[in-house]
Amino acid sequence: MRDHDTVPYSLPDLPDEDRIARARALRDRFKQRRSCRYFSDRPVPRAIIEAAIEAAGSAPNGANHQPWHFAVVSSPDKKRAIREAAEAEERNFYAGKASGEWLDALAPLGTDANKPFLETAPWLIVVFAQRKGGIEEDGTTQNYYVNESVGIACGMLIAALHEAGLATLTHTPSPLGFLRELCGRPDHEKPLMVVVVGHPAEGATVPAHALRKKPLEQISSWL
C-alpha cells in the first residue's frame, strides 16, 4: 500500500460470549422497529436529531468523501409545502403512474396519496446524495459510490433514531426534485428520501403485513 498517515485502529477486545450477546441484543431491538404512518405533534429535542445525524455521518463511504447532506425541516410552513408537493406526486402515482402490480404489492400496507405525517411529525430529515463535492464540498470534485454510501448512512440514521425511542418513516415520492428547491440545495445534490421522525400518535397501528419478515435461512447463504 502507498504511504499515508495513519492512526491506531481502536475496538474493544471482548470475549466471544459478550460479542454474541451484544449482537443478539441489538438484533432484538431492531426487530421491534416498524415504519410509522401515524405521528403525534409532540416535540422532540433537537439534540436527539443532531446526535442521530452525527451517527449517520460516521458511515463507511467512497474515498471518505462523505457524499451526503441532511436537510432538517421543522418549520410548519416548510413542512406544509413539502406535504403539498409530495401529495401532488403521490396522486399521479396512484392515479396511473404506478403499475397494477405495484399497487397490488402496496395494498396490504394500506398506503394512499394522503401524507398528513409530513406536517404532523416534528421533524423531517431530507437526505441528499452529493454527486460532486469531495470532502471539502467544493461542488466540482467527483464523489464515488454515492448511492451505496448514502444508503448505509440512512440505515445508520434510522437505527440511531430507533435506539433513541423515536418512530420513523422513510418517504420516497417520485420524482423527488421538488425537495431540492424547497430545501435550497444545489443542482449536483440528488434528493433520495424524507425520513419522518417523531413520536407515534396515540392508538397508532402498523399493517399486519409489515410483521412478516423473511427468516435467516431465506435471507442468507453460507459458503
Side-chain angles (χ1 to χ4, degrees), residues 66-77:
Q66 303 158 55
W68 42 61
H69 182 86
F70 304 91
V72 186
V73 180
S74 62
S75 158
D77 290 343

Side-chain angles (χ1 to χ4, degrees), residues 5 11 26-27 32 37 46 49 80 96 108 115 126 129 136 138 143 149 188-189 193 197 204 214:
D5 294 334
L11 194 67
L26 191 61
R27 172 203 63 190
Q32 296 173 351
R37 291 179 173 83
R46 172 172 168 162
I49 308 301
R80 185 177 305 113
K115 310 298 177 184
V126 186
E136 302 298 338
D138 58 17
N143 289 335
S149 301
H188 62 267
E189 292 188 359
M193 70 177 68
V197 187
K214 295 179 180 180

Side-chain angles (χ1 to χ4, degrees), residues 124-201:
L124 305 180
I125 304 175
V126 186
V127 184
F128 290 87
Q130 297 176 326
R131 291 171 284 198
K132 301 280 187 178
I135 196 168
E136 302 298 338
E137 296 198 3
D138 58 17
T140 59
T141 299
Q142 181 66 47
N143 289 335
Y144 306 97
Y145 299 105
V146 174
N147 288 339
E148 296 88 342
S149 301
V150 181
I152 296 169
C154 287
M156 293 178 65
L157 173 68
I158 293 165
L161 293 167
H162 179 69
E163 278 286 277
L166 295 176
T168 58
L169 174 70
T170 53
H171 180 53
T172 54
S174 179
L176 289 157
F178 67 89
L179 290 167
R180 185 186 301 109
E181 180 178 353
L182 287 175
C183 294
R185 301 308 301 168
D187 290 342
H188 62 267
E189 292 188 359
K190 176 184 177 182
L192 287 189
M193 70 177 68
V194 181
V195 181
V196 186
V197 187
H199 296 283

Side-chain angles (χ1 to χ4, degrees), residues 11 19 47 55 62 69 84 112 118 155:
L11 194 67
R19 300 182 197 278
H69 182 86
E84 290 173 354
D112 59 28
L118 292 172

Side-chain angles (χ1 to χ4, degrees), residues 76-125:
D77 290 343
K78 187 69 70 173
K79 288 193 294 181
R80 185 177 305 113
I82 290 174
R83 177 186 179 181
E84 290 173 354
E87 287 185 338
E89 298 296 350
E90 292 291 289
R91 285 192 291 272
N92 292 333
F93 175 85
Y94 285 96
K97 184 177 178 180
S99 66
E101 183 179 13
W102 195 344
L103 293 177
D104 287 345
L106 290 173
L109 298 174
T111 60
D112 59 28
N114 298 311
K115 310 298 177 184
F117 47 77
L118 292 172
E119 273 194 273
T120 307
W123 298 100
L124 305 180
I125 304 175

